[in-house]
């Protein structure tokens, strides 16, 4: 069986398409002599003349006409083979926990400045986190806390600090702290704080636990404050929708709730948002990605995140000690 020279096949097809060996040479970036040699080599391999040559020029022979469609198919198959070996063109899939949080805004900020990058934003839930999506191979990267949670990150996960999102305290207008311009953790200790969704084992429920241990603040979890743990079908129930939670906080004269400064909540006329200071709890977001066969567009995103991390904001913030080595400047 004869193994055909693909370069010779390409020279033959190009010569036919261009009508002259000289024109084919210009297209292929070769000399006319090199094109003639390649075609002669193919003719030797096939045992036929592909062109009828005369003093006035060369025209495709009868044998050449029979060979031509197969030669074209061979070149097409070659191109398909090369393409199949390359990574499939697909969006860069990035997971965030909530669509209207600071991490999602940071992705949009990047995309606005890099419109050539096709990004698909994947939204998690309390029961399906961005870290889980990354570890399960469903996304290329996620913005999430790097420590805590029921599943430790394996060594193949890359990590760079992304942002620190400071927490505020939400209270109703009848709450004793409602008139304050800011509060310190000791001010909050007499009043319980509800953390909907934090009864589900996760890196953020561990964050609440660490914050409670540090501050002495009582953190209530559950479908109702201090009640039964949430179920996945609660996500569609009014009791855990944002407006339902805010209504509950607004109507209480003792219950509060922490919310990140970067979380876009619906406006509520009876909710007061109070900065927390000395120290300010901040949720630490890192960019996490798999270092095994990373998406081609990831390198630029990693550089962007690394360059735009504002390490100076950590000075007045509290974060768990396990996260500090990553976020410390």
């Amino acid at each position: 069986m004869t193994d055909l020279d693909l370069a010779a096949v390409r020279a033959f097809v190009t010569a036919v398409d261009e009508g002259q060996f000289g024109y084919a040479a210009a297209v292929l970036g070769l000399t006319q002599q090199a094109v003639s040699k390649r075609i002669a080599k193919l003719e030797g391999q096939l045992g036929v003349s592909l062109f009828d040559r005369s003093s006035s020029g060369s025209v495709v022979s009868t044998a050449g006409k029979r060979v031509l469609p197969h030669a074209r198919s061979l070149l097409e198959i070659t191109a398909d083979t090369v393409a199949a070996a390359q990574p499939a063109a697909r969006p860069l899939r990035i997971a965030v926990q909530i669509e209207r949080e600071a991490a999602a805004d940071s992705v949009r900020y990047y995309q606005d400045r890099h419109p050539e990058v096709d990004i698909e934003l994947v939204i998690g839930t309390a029961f399906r986190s961005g870290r889980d999506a990354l570890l399960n191979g469903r996304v290329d990267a996620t913005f999430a806390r790097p420590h805590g949670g029921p599943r430790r990150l394996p060594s193949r996960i890359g990590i760079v600090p992304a942002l620190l999102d400071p927490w505020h305290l939400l209270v109703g207008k009848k709450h004793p702290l409602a008139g304050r311009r800011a509060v310190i953790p000791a001010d909050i200790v007499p009043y319980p704080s509800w953390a909907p969704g934090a009864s589900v084992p996760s890196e953020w429920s561990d964050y609440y636990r660490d914050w409670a241990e540090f501050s002495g603040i009582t953190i209530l979890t559950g479908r109702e404050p201090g009640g039964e743990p949430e179920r996945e079908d609660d996500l569609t129930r009014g009791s855990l929708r944002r407006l339902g939670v805010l209504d509950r906080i607004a109507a209480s004269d003792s219950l509060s709730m922490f919310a990140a400064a970067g979380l876009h909540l619906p406006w509520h006329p009876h909710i007061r948002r109070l900065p927390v200071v000395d120290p300010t709890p901040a949720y630490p977001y890192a960019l996490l990605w798999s270092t095994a066969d990373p998406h081609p567009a990831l390198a630029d995103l990693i550089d962007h995140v690394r360059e735009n991390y504002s390490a100076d904001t950590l000075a007045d913030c509290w974060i768990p000690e396990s996260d500090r080595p990553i976020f410390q400047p």
Side-chain angles (χ1 to χ4, degrees):
M1 181 178 178
T2 302
D3 292 327
L4 298 181
D5 185 331
L6 288 175
V9 174
R10 192 176 306 280
F12 164 60
V13 172
T14 305
V16 173
D17 289 344
E18 297 301 320
Q20 292 185 22
F21 285 16
Y23 293 158
V27 170
L28 296 171
L30 301 170
T31 65
Q32 183 172 334
Q33 183 181 18
V35 171
S36 296
K37 285 184 177 180
R38 291 186 182 188
I39 293 173
K41 180 179 180 180
L42 181 60
E43 289 175 325
Q45 290 177 318
L46 295 175
V48 297
S49 295
L50 298 173
F51 290 92
D52 292 328
R53 296 168 175 84
S54 66
S55 58
S56 59
S58 301
V59 295
V60 183
S61 66
T62 301
K65 291 177 181 178
R66 292 196 305 269
V67 169
L68 183 61
H70 301 286
R72 292 192 191 280
S73 296
L74 185 58
L75 294 179
E76 290 173 1
I77 292 171
T78 299
D80 290 343
T81 301
V82 172
Q86 306 306 311
R90 59 177 179 80
L92 174 61
R93 305 189 80 225
I94 303 175
V96 296
Q97 203 58 37
I98 302 173
E99 187 175 10
R100 296 176 9 170
E101 67 179 6
D105 286 342
S106 71
V107 176
R108 298 184 187 100
Y109 178 90
Y110 174 79
Q111 194 166 25
D112 286 345
R113 286 153 181 78
H114 298 82
E116 75 283 358
V117 181
D118 185 10
I119 294 178
E120 180 180 341
L121 200 61
V122 177
I123 310 300
T125 71
F127 295 86
R128 297 186 181 91
S129 73
R131 276 178 38 165
D132 289 336
L134 176 64
L135 297 179
N136 294 337
R138 291 187 285 112
V139 298
D140 301 294
T142 184
F143 284 85
R145 184 185 169 208
H147 287 95
R151 299 175 67 182
R152 293 187 61 182
L153 294 177
S155 58
R156 61 177 175 81
I157 299 299
I159 304 173
V160 293
L163 62 97
L164 298 169
D165 198 2
W167 274 8
H168 290 171
L169 188 72
L170 303 185
V171 299
K173 68 177 184 179
K174 298 177 183 178
H175 194 284
L177 299 177
R180 302 284 188 92
R181 298 181 62 181
V183 291
I184 63 174
D187 295 330
I188 310 169
V189 169
Y191 311 103
S193 182
W194 185 26
S199 65
V200 180
S202 62
E203 61 272 17
W204 59 87
S205 63
D206 288 350
Y207 179 93
Y208 274 106
R209 181 201 62 215
D210 291 348
W211 170 239
E213 291 177 356
F214 172 83
S215 65
I217 297 169
T218 299
I219 302 293
L220 304 176
T221 64
R223 302 168 69 188
E224 298 290 330
E228 295 181 0
E230 294 90 346
R231 300 194 306 258
E232 191 160 4
D233 60 359
D234 287 329
L235 298 174
T236 59
R237 296 166 60 90
S239 60
L240 288 183
R241 291 176 185 163
R242 287 196 182 107
L243 278 175
V245 170
L246 291 179
D247 284 341
R248 186 67 178 266
I249 299 299
S252 176
D253 60 1
S254 62
L255 194 63
S256 65
M257 184 177 75
F258 288 100
L263 178 62
H264 306 294
L265 290 170
W267 180 81
H268 196 296
H270 305 311
I271 289 290
R272 306 294 181 259
R273 183 186 282 262
L274 311 175
V276 183
V277 298
D278 298 329
T280 297
Y283 196 82
Y285 287 99
L287 176 67
L288 312 176
W289 72 94
S290 174
T291 58
D293 191 25
H295 191 286
L298 257 178
D300 286 340
L301 176 62
I302 294 167
D303 289 343
H304 168 84
V305 170
R306 183 181 287 113
E307 292 169 2
N308 287 279
Y309 169 56
S310 298
D312 58 298
T313 59
L314 183 60
D316 298 322
C317 292
W318 175 89
I319 62 173
E321 287 302 314
S322 57
D323 296 305
R324 191 165 289 274
I326 292 174
F327 290 86
Q328 188 74 46

